[in-house]
Amino acid sequence: RFPVEDAKVSWKVPWPEYSPVPFVAPSVLAAERSDTNPNGWADSPRPNLAELKHRLSCEGPLFFDADQRPVNPRGRTGVCGRGMLGKWGPNRAADPIVTRWKPGDKRKLQIVAIQRGDTGVWALPGGMVDAGEVVSVTVRREFAEEVGNMASDAERAAFNAAVDELFAHGEVVYRGYVDDPRNTDNAWMETTAFHFHCTADLAVQLPLRAGDDAHNVTWLDVDDAEPRYAALYASHKDWVD
Ligand code: RP5
Ligand code: MG
Ligand code: MG
């Protein structure tokens, strides 16, 4: 990345020398939608204005640079292009915040947290919204993929029954920009974070097993003295707090 100090993040600060590094990950290039790859999850190499007009951002209307690329509403990142993200502009995700009172200590909350396979950092078990999917479906699908990697049909049935009950009552606690390390000047993460509270009885029936892009899963203390919680991925700690 081109180094950007805090005082120069805002686009309102003139900075003629600013020269972000262009980058598109090979995994994104390989997934670009085209006539030969109609089901690709990534946008075409050139931003398509007709398509982008319908891409809603929680941050307000999209603005475009001279190359018709959407501009990151929160400012400069030091990288231009899509980087590791598939879509120009907002890339939508959903995040489940599943809480319970810590067994034996009713004054302490815990959350279901996973260790990300890409960076090794602990995070909420969230993920990207698939094409045509509503976020309330994404949040459950990602939870099941990342922490419900069950070893047997019986275990899977127990997990699904517990999740049916758990996800029946949820509340949106955050909707907007994510301070994700993959963000660029032209592509960024936005999410909807849902809160689901798990009773002690239900927690006993909810088996947790990491899967997909999660390497580990645990009930993690919501406590700044817990290093994995203090260093939670991107802006995840802000929403839990
Ligand atoms: C974060 O990246 C979101 O808050 C969500 O947790 C996650 C989605 O990306 P993947 O986990 O699919 O990489 O910005
Ligand atoms: Mg996932
Ligand atoms: Mg994920």
Side-chain angles (χ1 to χ4, degrees), residues 181-206:
R182 294 166 290 189
N183 291 346
T184 74
D185 289 0
N186 310 114
W188 59 91
M189 293 295 309
E190 294 191 14
T191 198
T192 306
F194 296 80
H195 176 217
F196 304 97
H197 187 70
C198 193
T199 61
D201 289 347
L202 193 53
V204 173
Q205 296 160 38
L206 179 70

mmCIF file of all heavy atoms in Angstrom, residues 181-206:
data_model
loop_
_atom_site.group_PDB
_atom_site.id
_atom_site.type_symbol
_atom_site.label_atom_id
_atom_site.label_comp_id
_atom_site.label_asym_id
_atom_site.label_seq_id
_atom_site.Cartn_x
_atom_site.Cartn_y
_atom_site.Cartn_z
ATOM 1 N N PRO A 181 -9.360 -5.095 6.490
ATOM 2 C CA PRO A 181 -8.014 -4.911 5.915
ATOM 3 C C PRO A 181 -7.970 -5.075 4.392
ATOM 4 O O PRO A 181 -6.987 -4.685 3.763
ATOM 5 C CB PRO A 181 -7.167 -5.990 6.605
ATOM 6 C CG PRO A 181 -8.121 -6.943 7.213
ATOM 7 C CD PRO A 181 -9.392 -6.189 7.472
ATOM 8 N N ARG A 182 -9.031 -5.652 3.791
ATOM 9 C CA ARG A 182 -9.043 -5.823 2.327
ATOM 10 C C ARG A 182 -9.546 -4.593 1.586
ATOM 11 O O ARG A 182 -9.499 -4.534 0.349
ATOM 12 C CB ARG A 182 -9.912 -7.031 1.954
ATOM 13 C CG ARG A 182 -9.348 -8.340 2.428
ATOM 14 C CD ARG A 182 -10.359 -9.461 2.345
ATOM 15 N NE ARG A 182 -11.431 -9.294 3.339
ATOM 16 C CZ ARG A 182 -12.346 -10.198 3.619
ATOM 17 N NH1 ARG A 182 -12.321 -11.362 2.977
ATOM 18 N NH2 ARG A 182 -13.280 -9.982 4.530
ATOM 19 N N ASN A 183 -10.075 -3.603 2.303
ATOM 20 C CA ASN A 183 -10.662 -2.442 1.637
ATOM 21 C C ASN A 183 -9.640 -1.712 0.762
ATOM 22 O O ASN A 183 -8.462 -1.639 1.089
ATOM 23 C CB ASN A 183 -11.210 -1.446 2.678
ATOM 24 C CG ASN A 183 -12.425 -1.988 3.411
ATOM 25 O OD1 ASN A 183 -13.016 -2.977 2.984
ATOM 26 N ND2 ASN A 183 -12.787 -1.337 4.511
ATOM 27 N N THR A 184 -10.139 -1.163 -0.333
ATOM 28 C CA THR A 184 -9.300 -0.347 -1.219
ATOM 29 C C THR A 184 -10.019 0.985 -1.459
ATOM 30 O O THR A 184 -11.108 1.219 -0.945
ATOM 31 C CB THR A 184 -9.082 -1.023 -2.588
ATOM 32 O OG1 THR A 184 -10.305 -0.911 -3.341
ATOM 33 C CG2 THR A 184 -8.687 -2.485 -2.455
ATOM 34 N N ASP A 185 -9.418 1.813 -2.309
ATOM 35 C CA ASP A 185 -10.050 3.091 -2.646
ATOM 36 C C ASP A 185 -11.326 2.893 -3.474
ATOM 37 O O ASP A 185 -12.138 3.810 -3.590
ATOM 38 C CB ASP A 185 -9.076 3.968 -3.456
ATOM 39 C CG ASP A 185 -7.932 4.500 -2.610
ATOM 40 O OD1 ASP A 185 -7.891 4.186 -1.396
ATOM 41 O OD2 ASP A 185 -7.081 5.234 -3.152
ATOM 42 N N ASN A 186 -11.504 1.701 -4.056
ATOM 43 C CA ASN A 186 -12.620 1.477 -4.977
ATOM 44 C C ASN A 186 -13.505 0.288 -4.618
ATOM 45 O O ASN A 186 -14.471 -0.005 -5.336
ATOM 46 C CB ASN A 186 -12.084 1.275 -6.402
ATOM 47 C CG ASN A 186 -11.112 2.356 -6.808
ATOM 48 O OD1 ASN A 186 -9.923 2.088 -7.003
ATOM 49 N ND2 ASN A 186 -11.572 3.589 -6.876
ATOM 50 N N ALA A 187 -13.171 -0.413 -3.547
ATOM 51 C CA ALA A 187 -13.954 -1.583 -3.119
ATOM 52 C C ALA A 187 -13.836 -1.690 -1.606
ATOM 53 O O ALA A 187 -12.739 -1.544 -1.063
ATOM 54 C CB ALA A 187 -13.406 -2.857 -3.777
ATOM 55 N N TRP A 188 -14.948 -1.917 -0.940
ATOM 56 C CA TRP A 188 -14.908 -1.963 0.522
ATOM 57 C C TRP A 188 -16.028 -2.859 1.047
ATOM 58 O O TRP A 188 -16.979 -3.176 0.348
ATOM 59 C CB TRP A 188 -15.036 -0.549 1.116
ATOM 60 C CG TRP A 188 -16.293 0.171 0.725
ATOM 61 C CD1 TRP A 188 -17.475 0.172 1.399
ATOM 62 C CD2 TRP A 188 -16.492 0.972 -0.452
ATOM 63 N NE1 TRP A 188 -18.402 0.936 0.728
ATOM 64 C CE2 TRP A 188 -17.832 1.441 -0.413
ATOM 65 C CE3 TRP A 188 -15.690 1.355 -1.529
ATOM 66 C CZ2 TRP A 188 -18.373 2.256 -1.414
ATOM 67 C CZ3 TRP A 188 -16.236 2.162 -2.527
ATOM 68 C CH2 TRP A 188 -17.553 2.605 -2.455
ATOM 69 N N MET A 189 -15.876 -3.275 2.327
ATOM 70 C CA MET A 189 -16.848 -4.154 2.964
ATOM 71 C C MET A 189 -17.919 -3.331 3.674
ATOM 72 O O MET A 189 -17.618 -2.319 4.307
ATOM 73 C CB MET A 189 -16.161 -5.040 4.001
ATOM 74 C CG MET A 189 -15.185 -6.057 3.462
ATOM 75 S SD MET A 189 -15.962 -7.305 2.448
ATOM 76 C CE MET A 189 -17.286 -7.848 3.515
ATOM 77 N N GLU A 190 -19.168 -3.803 3.563
ATOM 78 C CA GLU A 190 -20.277 -3.275 4.365
ATOM 79 C C GLU A 190 -21.026 -4.484 4.905
ATOM 80 O O GLU A 190 -21.106 -5.515 4.239
ATOM 81 C CB GLU A 190 -21.217 -2.406 3.522
ATOM 82 C CG GLU A 190 -20.541 -1.133 3.022
ATOM 83 C CD GLU A 190 -21.509 -0.130 2.405
ATOM 84 O OE1 GLU A 190 -22.735 -0.276 2.579
ATOM 85 O OE2 GLU A 190 -21.024 0.800 1.741
ATOM 86 N N THR A 191 -21.544 -4.383 6.108
ATOM 87 C CA THR A 191 -22.211 -5.550 6.695
ATOM 88 C C THR A 191 -23.491 -5.190 7.432
ATOM 89 O O THR A 191 -23.755 -4.019 7.724
ATOM 90 C CB THR A 191 -21.270 -6.288 7.677
ATOM 91 O OG1 THR A 191 -21.761 -7.609 7.905
ATOM 92 C CG2 THR A 191 -21.173 -5.564 9.015
ATOM 93 N N THR A 192 -24.267 -6.228 7.711
ATOM 94 C CA THR A 192 -25.380 -6.138 8.659
ATOM 95 C C THR A 192 -25.039 -7.106 9.778
ATOM 96 O O THR A 192 -24.842 -8.299 9.532
ATOM 97 C CB THR A 192 -26.708 -6.553 7.990
ATOM 98 O OG1 THR A 192 -26.889 -5.767 6.813
ATOM 99 C CG2 THR A 192 -27.888 -6.329 8.933
ATOM 100 N N ALA A 193 -24.907 -6.590 11.004
ATOM 101 C CA ALA A 193 -24.587 -7.437 12.153
ATOM 102 C C ALA A 193 -25.866 -7.664 12.956
ATOM 103 O O ALA A 193 -26.569 -6.714 13.296
ATOM 104 C CB ALA A 193 -23.516 -6.787 13.016
ATOM 105 N N PHE A 194 -26.150 -8.946 13.227
ATOM 106 C CA PHE A 194 -27.347 -9.344 13.977
ATOM 107 C C PHE A 194 -26.923 -9.874 15.345
ATOM 108 O O PHE A 194 -25.922 -10.568 15.451
ATOM 109 C CB PHE A 194 -28.080 -10.495 13.270
ATOM 110 C CG PHE A 194 -28.651 -10.180 11.920
ATOM 111 C CD1 PHE A 194 -27.841 -10.160 10.790
ATOM 112 C CD2 PHE A 194 -30.016 -9.940 11.772
ATOM 113 C CE1 PHE A 194 -28.376 -9.904 9.536
ATOM 114 C CE2 PHE A 194 -30.565 -9.684 10.517
ATOM 115 C CZ PHE A 194 -29.745 -9.662 9.400
ATOM 116 N N HIS A 195 -27.725 -9.576 16.351
ATOM 117 C CA HIS A 195 -27.478 -10.149 17.683
ATOM 118 C C HIS A 195 -28.503 -11.238 17.987
ATOM 119 O O HIS A 195 -29.704 -11.019 17.814
ATOM 120 C CB HIS A 195 -27.562 -9.049 18.758
ATOM 121 C CG HIS A 195 -27.413 -9.578 20.149
ATOM 122 N ND1 HIS A 195 -28.115 -9.079 21.212
ATOM 123 C CD2 HIS A 195 -26.663 -10.590 20.641
ATOM 124 C CE1 HIS A 195 -27.790 -9.756 22.308
ATOM 125 N NE2 HIS A 195 -26.913 -10.672 21.985
ATOM 126 N N PHE A 196 -28.003 -12.398 18.433
ATOM 127 C CA PHE A 196 -28.854 -13.505 18.868
ATOM 128 C C PHE A 196 -28.365 -13.928 20.244
ATOM 129 O O PHE A 196 -27.161 -14.203 20.411
ATOM 130 C CB PHE A 196 -28.738 -14.698 17.917
ATOM 131 C CG PHE A 196 -29.038 -14.368 16.484
ATOM 132 C CD1 PHE A 196 -28.010 -14.094 15.585
ATOM 133 C CD2 PHE A 196 -30.350 -14.319 16.022
ATOM 134 C CE1 PHE A 196 -28.275 -13.790 14.259
ATOM 135 C CE2 PHE A 196 -30.627 -14.017 14.684
ATOM 136 C CZ PHE A 196 -29.589 -13.748 13.807
ATOM 137 N N HIS A 197 -29.241 -13.984 21.233
ATOM 138 C CA HIS A 197 -28.802 -14.414 22.563
ATOM 139 C C HIS A 197 -29.177 -15.873 22.810
ATOM 140 O O HIS A 197 -30.311 -16.287 22.565
ATOM 141 C CB HIS A 197 -29.373 -13.526 23.667
ATOM 142 C CG HIS A 197 -28.785 -13.882 25.003
ATOM 143 N ND1 HIS A 197 -27.476 -13.619 25.320
ATOM 144 C CD2 HIS A 197 -29.314 -14.548 26.060
ATOM 145 C CE1 HIS A 197 -27.215 -14.086 26.528
ATOM 146 N NE2 HIS A 197 -28.319 -14.657 26.998
ATOM 147 N N CYS A 198 -28.215 -16.620 23.310
ATOM 148 C CA CYS A 198 -28.359 -18.061 23.519
ATOM 149 C C CYS A 198 -28.536 -18.323 25.013
ATOM 150 O O CYS A 198 -27.658 -17.966 25.806
ATOM 151 C CB CYS A 198 -27.070 -18.709 22.997
ATOM 152 S SG CYS A 198 -27.153 -20.469 22.803
ATOM 153 N N THR A 199 -29.650 -18.957 25.390
ATOM 154 C CA THR A 199 -29.839 -19.292 26.806
ATOM 155 C C THR A 199 -28.858 -20.404 27.188
ATOM 156 O O THR A 199 -28.323 -21.101 26.317
ATOM 157 C CB THR A 199 -31.270 -19.800 27.057
ATOM 158 O OG1 THR A 199 -31.454 -20.989 26.277
ATOM 159 C CG2 THR A 199 -32.316 -18.761 26.665
ATOM 160 N N ALA A 200 -28.672 -20.588 28.483
ATOM 161 C CA ALA A 200 -27.733 -21.619 28.961
ATOM 162 C C ALA A 200 -28.165 -23.000 28.469
ATOM 163 O O ALA A 200 -27.333 -23.799 28.017
ATOM 164 C CB ALA A 200 -27.668 -21.582 30.485
ATOM 165 N N ASP A 201 -29.480 -23.267 28.514
ATOM 166 C CA ASP A 201 -29.983 -24.578 28.066
ATOM 167 C C ASP A 201 -29.683 -24.800 26.590
ATOM 168 O O ASP A 201 -29.255 -25.876 26.176
ATOM 169 C CB ASP A 201 -31.505 -24.671 28.283
ATOM 170 C CG ASP A 201 -31.836 -24.777 29.756
ATOM 171 O OD1 ASP A 201 -30.906 -25.023 30.554
ATOM 172 O OD2 ASP A 201 -33.025 -24.588 30.111
ATOM 173 N N LEU A 202 -29.939 -23.765 25.817
ATOM 174 C CA LEU A 202 -29.736 -23.875 24.370
ATOM 175 C C LEU A 202 -28.246 -24.037 24.037
ATOM 176 O O LEU A 202 -27.879 -24.788 23.126
ATOM 177 C CB LEU A 202 -30.326 -22.634 23.681
ATOM 178 C CG LEU A 202 -30.496 -22.680 22.170
ATOM 179 C CD1 LEU A 202 -31.294 -23.912 21.748
ATOM 180 C CD2 LEU A 202 -31.192 -21.412 21.673
ATOM 181 N N ALA A 203 -27.397 -23.328 24.791
ATOM 182 C CA ALA A 203 -25.944 -23.399 24.530
ATOM 183 C C ALA A 203 -25.429 -24.827 24.689
ATOM 184 O O ALA A 203 -24.546 -25.271 23.953
ATOM 185 C CB ALA A 203 -25.200 -22.445 25.455
ATOM 186 N N VAL A 204 -26.025 -25.565 25.631
ATOM 187 C CA VAL A 204 -25.610 -26.952 25.862
ATOM 188 C C VAL A 204 -25.955 -27.815 24.633
ATOM 189 O O VAL A 204 -25.243 -28.764 24.293
ATOM 190 C CB VAL A 204 -26.304 -27.506 27.133
ATOM 191 C CG1 VAL A 204 -26.034 -28.992 27.301
ATOM 192 C CG2 VAL A 204 -25.856 -26.726 28.356
ATOM 193 N N GLN A 205 -27.061 -27.445 23.961
ATOM 194 C CA GLN A 205 -27.505 -28.239 22.794
ATOM 195 C C GLN A 205 -26.857 -27.795 21.486
ATOM 196 O O GLN A 205 -27.117 -28.374 20.435
ATOM 197 C CB GLN A 205 -29.026 -28.100 22.634
ATOM 198 C CG GLN A 205 -29.826 -28.665 23.773
ATOM 199 C CD GLN A 205 -31.227 -28.071 23.782
ATOM 200 O OE1 GLN A 205 -31.829 -27.854 22.728
ATOM 201 N NE2 GLN A 205 -31.735 -27.775 24.959
ATOM 202 N N LEU A 206 -26.047 -26.736 21.563
ATOM 203 C CA LEU A 206 -25.472 -26.179 20.330
ATOM 204 C C LEU A 206 -24.017 -26.634 20.184
ATOM 205 O O LEU A 206 -23.113 -26.018 20.742
ATOM 206 C CB LEU A 206 -25.541 -24.638 20.381
ATOM 207 C CG LEU A 206 -24.977 -23.870 19.188
ATOM 208 C CD1 LEU A 206 -25.860 -24.045 17.951
ATOM 209 C CD2 LEU A 206 -24.840 -22.381 19.520
#
